[in-house]
Amino acid sequence: MPGDRTAFHRTITADPLSVRAALADFSVSLTRLGIAPEHVETLELVVAEVLNNIVEHAYRDMPAGEIGIEVEARGGVILCDVTDCGAPMPGARLPQGAHPGRGTTSDDLPEGGYGWFLIRGLARDLTYARIGGRNVLRFRIDFPPSPAEF
Amino acid sequence: MRLTTTNHGGDLLVAVREDRIDAAVALQFKDALRTVSENAPARVVLDLSQVGFLDSSGLGALVTAMKALGPDRRLDLLAPTPPVQKVLRLTRMDSVFAIFPDEASAFARGAVARAG
């Protein structure tokens, strides 16, 4: 395992069913590397949240474009690059991903905002750049993942 | 989005017959839960034992369903699988929903009072 450098490359259409298929393939690839199921689950969750965000927001006002996914697994670290040609991130930066909170009553309980909270908590070295009309999101996940912020 | 419903001693047991509650089905899931909730009794127990994946969209749908039941009815979760437990724990939603590992504990006398 140390020194392994296995790539997962995929270009998908930005729609929920294509995301599901990519996640399934991604999980199979990671499992084949010998990564334990509980870690594969965590990795799938983070990538799911990133991809869902692109589908929902980057391509919200335009026909579904493509998402490029590149993953390397190298000795205990997963490096991910996710690229799309959708709208830029508002404010040209990533959401802080604070916990959405609990509201004051059960009526106020937030229904959204958990995605970025999960990404921020599970991914490391998360960066966003707008390069040549594309959004480029990069992050690292250590396995076993160490969610220090929880 | 397949749900099956059963009356369980006056509570409504709703079993989710899907293996993923994710962005692809979150809207259908919300709609399906809203339909079963309309005439639901004071307690709805959602059986998640077949669900192997829940993302933030699915989690949001659970919250929507809980809110739709209103302050006088409750939505409890039954037998979430380890990946789903993880999401509930990481988002701290395991302190918002009462979660039972199995039907015996979910429907034991006093279960709701103990769950707080």
Side-chain angles (χ1 to χ4, degrees), chain A residues 37-39 41-42, chain B residues 81-91:
Chain A
E38 63 263 29
H39 303 319
E41 287 157 10
T42 301
Chain B
T81 58
V84 176
Q85 289 174 33
K86 187 182 312 180
V87 174
L88 294 169
R89 188 178 65 249
L90 292 176
T91 57

Side-chain angles (χ1 to χ4, degrees), chain B residues 30-77:
Chain B
K30 275 194 236 194
D31 287 346
L33 281 182
R34 182 174 34 243
T35 302
V36 304
S37 296
E38 271 164 7
N39 299 307
R43 184 181 188 221
V44 177
V45 178
L46 193 66
D47 178 351
L48 297 173
S49 57
Q50 293 192 16
V51 180
F53 183 83
L54 179 82
D55 62 14
S56 63
S57 305
L59 181 62
L62 293 181
V63 173
T64 302
M66 172 190 259
K67 289 162 76 171
L69 285 172
D72 299 327
R73 294 186 293 184
R74 56 187 296 137
L75 176 67
D76 294 345
L77 305 182

Side-chain angles (χ1 to χ4, degrees), chain A residues 29-49:
Chain A
S29 296
L30 294 180
T31 301
R32 285 204 184 120
L33 292 180
I35 299 174
E38 63 263 29
H39 303 319
V40 175
E41 287 157 10
T42 301
L43 294 165
E44 180 183 1
L45 177 65
V46 179
V47 175
E49 297 296 343

